[in-house]
Amino acid sequence: MSLLKIANLSGGYGDVDIISGIDMDVGAKEIVTIAGTNGAGKSTLIKAAMGILPRISGTMVFDGIDLMKLQIEDRVRIGISYVPQVRNVFGTLTVLENLQVVEHAPAKAARIRDMFDLFPALAGRRGTYAENLSGGERQQLAFARALMSSPRLILLDEPSAALSPALTDQVFEEVKRLPQADVAVLMVEQRARQALAFSDRGYILDAGRIVLSDTGANLLANEEMGDVYIGRGQVQAAPQSPSSHI
Ligand SMILES: Nc1ncnc2c1ncn2[C@@H]1O[C@H](COP(=O)(O)OP(=O)(O)OP(=O)(O)O)[C@@H](O)[C@H]1O
Ligand SMILES: [Mg+2]
């Protein structure tokens, strides 16, 4: 049975549909990657799943629960968590404070200890303001914040954005470990080749519609899709983006 099942989902920010007729499944403990060109609607789709897209129609069911009427807080409560593409930590709070301010985290002190075990680099930086973290550390903190609520599904919007290839590898290693902790992953990635290599399945989005879905391995082998949507050859370093903090 699917953990998350999306059917015929359409929606946008105003009258225009940015995503249209989306059918998508994420199983328990699965890693699923969404790839596609800039502006295809990938972040919009993730926002719809989290309940922060202003207008949607269709159906979304999580663990047997109808999501369509649930606000973001309720989605967090039932086990969905979200790491936005930008502004995913509070720059003017310390690492520890970033974890302490997370709501819907029962047994918070114990959970923070778990997060420091999981991300030892953060443990040594607990008093550092998030705006002074390296890109990789900041991404780890964003992850840790999302894991505080013990989600069963985590929505990741470009976890490798603005990271060097080495830090990308590090973050991807953490993504790969999530299913062992019973966390399923629905992830948007520009570094699609690299992400699909460890994804159970993938969806290719173009102009707001799914144009292809298959196993990660089959998508990588698909010659037709290769050049346009997932890129061939050398993985390029992402351009540096300004530091993101609220
Ligand atoms: N808050 C918003 N209000 C209005 N339009 C928006 C908003 N956010 C995104 N859009 C529009 O929706 C479309 C899809 O944007 P989205 O951010 O989902 O693309 P994306 O696939 O995530 O792109 P990228 O790879 O650049 O992150 C774009 O045309 C964008 O201009
Ligand atoms: Mg995006």
Side-chain angles (χ1 to χ4, degrees):
M1 197 189 86
S2 303
L3 183 61
L4 175 68
K5 186 166 188 62
I6 293 175
N8 198 25
L9 186 75
S10 300
Y13 303 90
D15 292 341
V16 181
D17 274 350
I18 301 291
I19 48 171
S20 313
I22 302 288
D23 295 320
M24 185 171 279
D25 285 286
V26 182
K29 302 186 191 198
E30 258 196 329
I31 298 180
V32 175
T33 288
I34 303 167
T37 50
N38 290 125
K42 305 180 297 296
S43 295
T44 302
L45 176 52
I46 292 278
K47 287 179 204 168
M50 198 61 221
I52 50 176
L53 190 63
R55 185 180 57 77
I56 49 168
S57 63
T59 60
M60 278 192 283
V61 177
F62 176 79
D63 201 17
I65 301 167
D66 178 6
L67 283 184
M68 293 299 281
K69 292 191 183 70
L70 294 192
Q71 303 296 316
I72 181 166
E73 304 78 33
D74 293 319
R75 296 187 197 212
V76 173
R77 191 175 43 75
I78 63 172
I80 305 177
S81 206
Y82 168 54
V83 181
Q85 185 167 354
V86 292
R87 291 190 288 278
N88 50 25
V89 300
F90 294 101
T92 56
L93 298 185
T94 65
V95 166
L96 180 61
E97 287 164 347
N98 262 279
L99 299 178
Q100 286 170 334
V101 297
V102 174
E103 289 173 45
H104 306 289
K108 202 174 271 186
R111 191 69 185 153
I112 289 174
R113 282 197 296 275
D114 291 346
M115 290 302 108
F116 285 149
D117 286 344
L118 193 62
F119 301 101
L122 293 181
R125 297 289 225 149
R126 68 185 71 203
T128 302
Y129 289 108
E131 63 195 1
N132 295 331
L133 296 175
S134 73
E137 289 166 344
R138 194 164 55 227
Q139 207 52 268
Q140 289 186 353
L141 178 59
F143 245 119
R145 280 174 48 77
L147 291 173
M148 279 294 289
S149 56
S150 303
R152 296 186 58 211
L153 171 67
I154 189 165
L155 308 170
L156 297 176
D157 197 346
E158 301 207 21
S160 80
L163 297 188
S164 68
L167 285 175
T168 298
D169 290 347
Q170 195 182 320
V171 167
F172 282 173
E173 285 306 315
E174 277 141 22
V175 175
K176 286 183 211 172
R177 286 206 302 265
L178 292 173
Q180 294 161 26
D182 196 21
V183 183
V185 179
L186 180 60
M187 170 172 73
V188 171
E189 254 306 325
Q190 292 283 353
R191 297 184 182 187
R193 291 194 65 73
Q194 213 180 330
L196 286 169
F198 63 85
S199 296
D200 296 294
R201 293 182 302 105
Y203 292 86
I204 308 294
L205 205 60
D206 186 29
R209 292 179 180 276
I210 290 168
V211 291
L212 195 66
S213 68
D214 210 328
T215 62
N218 284 348
L219 286 173
L220 284 175
N222 187 315
E223 290 293 326
E224 184 192 344
M225 286 295 145
D227 292 328
V228 189
Y229 298 114
I230 60 176
R232 288 268 178 240
Q234 205 70 28
V235 177
Q236 299 202 334
Q240 286 297 314
S241 72
S243 71
S244 54
H245 52 84
I246 296 174

